[in-house]
């Protein structure tokens, strides 16, 4: 059975969401961040950086949330959470997965860190401002992309929607989607999926 190392309100909700969509058996292993269990010698043998999440599957460990999603979608191709190999939709799926992680999430992380997460004496207001501006530019582009669309790739839900909706939901929780009705609607649709709700319990 697959084993997902998990902490609430972390990127670990992404693979848990997809596992719930798949309906396959898995073991959820809670990791208490407040007790610094993620820095214990036991967990560092699972994930050498001590970050969330990590998935053990058939004796192998996969970490990084997007990598786990790509792995799970390919492991269960019959579920249809990734477009067929060699198609234009598959290329677009890779594009948005990489865009979410490399382009979209970093400025949001910077904004979060320097506006609320870091101790006040460590915050750099200019970093928060830069992160917010960059995320707003991205959101403006995505507002046009997702206007009138249910999903980010093609006409069905894929693992790319897990990442996209998760990051946008995070931004919305910090008040950054007020000017983007199409994005708010997209997030509401995806986050209301029963599997998404279970992943956040």
């Amino acid at each position: 059975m697959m084993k997902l190392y998990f902490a609430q309100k972390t990127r670990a909700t992404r693979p848990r969401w997809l596992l719930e969509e798949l309906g396959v058996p898995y073991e959820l292993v809670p990791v208490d961040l407040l007790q610094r269990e993620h820095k214990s010698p036991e967990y560092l043998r699972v994930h050498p950086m001590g970050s969330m999440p990590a998935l053990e599957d058939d004796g192998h460990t996969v970490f990084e949330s997007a990598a786990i999603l790509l792995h799970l979608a390919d492991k269960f191709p019959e579920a249809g959470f990734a477009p067929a190999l060699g198609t234009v939709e598959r290329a677009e799926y890779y594009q948005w997965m990489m865009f979410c992680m490399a382009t979209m999430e970093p400025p949001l992380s910077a904004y979060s860190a320097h506006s609320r997460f870091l101790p006040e004496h460590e915050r750099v207001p200019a970093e928060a401002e830069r992160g917010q501006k960059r995320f707003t530019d991205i959101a403006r582009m995505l507002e046009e992309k997702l206007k009138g669309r249910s999903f980010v790739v093609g006409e069905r839900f894929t693992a790319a929607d897990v990442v996209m909706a998760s990051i946008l939901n995070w931004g919305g929780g910090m008040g950054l989607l007020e000017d983007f009705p199409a994005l708010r609607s997209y997030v509401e649709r995806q986050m209301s999926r029963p599997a998404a709700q279970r992943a956040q319990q």
Side-chain angles (χ1 to χ4, degrees), residues 3-93:
K3 186 183 292 187
L4 177 65
Y5 292 85
F6 179 82
Q8 240 344 324
K9 296 184 179 179
T10 70
R11 294 171 181 85
T13 57
R14 297 170 190 170
R16 187 180 182 189
W17 177 356
L18 191 56
L19 284 164
E20 290 292 331
E21 294 278 0
L22 287 163
V24 296
Y26 68 96
E27 179 186 351
L28 195 68
V29 182
V31 179
D32 190 331
L33 302 185
L34 292 177
Q35 296 299 317
R36 296 189 59 78
E37 290 178 356
H38 60 303
K39 299 300 183 182
S40 69
E42 293 79 14
Y43 186 67
L44 289 172
R45 284 193 286 270
V46 175
H47 191 315
M49 296 302 295
S51 301
M52 292 285 110
L55 180 79
E56 287 186 358
D57 183 14
D58 196 25
H60 299 277
T61 302
V62 183
F63 50 80
E64 293 297 324
S65 62
I68 297 172
L69 294 178
L70 291 167
H71 168 65
L72 290 172
D74 286 348
K75 183 179 176 74
F76 302 98
E78 68 283 357
F81 291 123
L85 284 168
T87 62
V88 171
E89 289 79 12
R90 183 72 171 214
E92 192 177 4
Y93 165 77

Side-chain angles (χ1 to χ4, degrees), residues 24-167:
V24 296
Y26 68 96
E27 179 186 351
L28 195 68
V29 182
V31 179
D32 190 331
L33 302 185
L34 292 177
Q35 296 299 317
R36 296 189 59 78
E37 290 178 356
H38 60 303
K39 299 300 183 182
S40 69
E42 293 79 14
Y43 186 67
L44 289 172
R45 284 193 286 270
V46 175
H47 191 315
M49 296 302 295
S51 301
M52 292 285 110
L55 180 79
E56 287 186 358
D57 183 14
D58 196 25
H60 299 277
T61 302
V62 183
F63 50 80
E64 293 297 324
S65 62
I68 297 172
L69 294 178
L70 291 167
H71 168 65
L72 290 172
D74 286 348
K75 183 179 176 74
F76 302 98
E78 68 283 357
F81 291 123
L85 284 168
T87 62
V88 171
E89 289 79 12
R90 183 72 171 214
E92 192 177 4
Y93 165 77
Y94 288 142
Q95 169 191 284
W96 290 114
M97 292 288 271
M98 298 306 108
F99 178 86
C100 283
M101 301 307 297
T103 302
M104 187 176 172
E105 193 173 67
L108 191 58
S109 294
Y111 175 74
S112 174
H114 291 281
S115 65
R116 59 196 67 206
F117 183 73
L118 288 172
E120 201 158 339
H121 68 278
E122 294 182 20
R123 296 177 190 174
V124 180
E127 288 296 319
E129 185 177 343
R130 271 193 292 271
Q132 182 178 10
K133 182 182 184 307
R134 176 64 170 158
F135 181 79
T136 300
D137 289 343
I138 291 165
R140 190 174 295 113
M141 179 274 290
L142 289 173
E143 177 78 2
E144 293 305 311
K145 160 71 179 173
L146 289 170
K147 197 173 290 182
R149 295 177 58 93
S150 296
F151 308 108
V152 71
V153 178
E155 301 301 324
R156 62 179 298 169
F157 180 87
T158 67
D161 290 297
V162 173
V163 184
M164 180 71 75
S166 297
I167 295 174

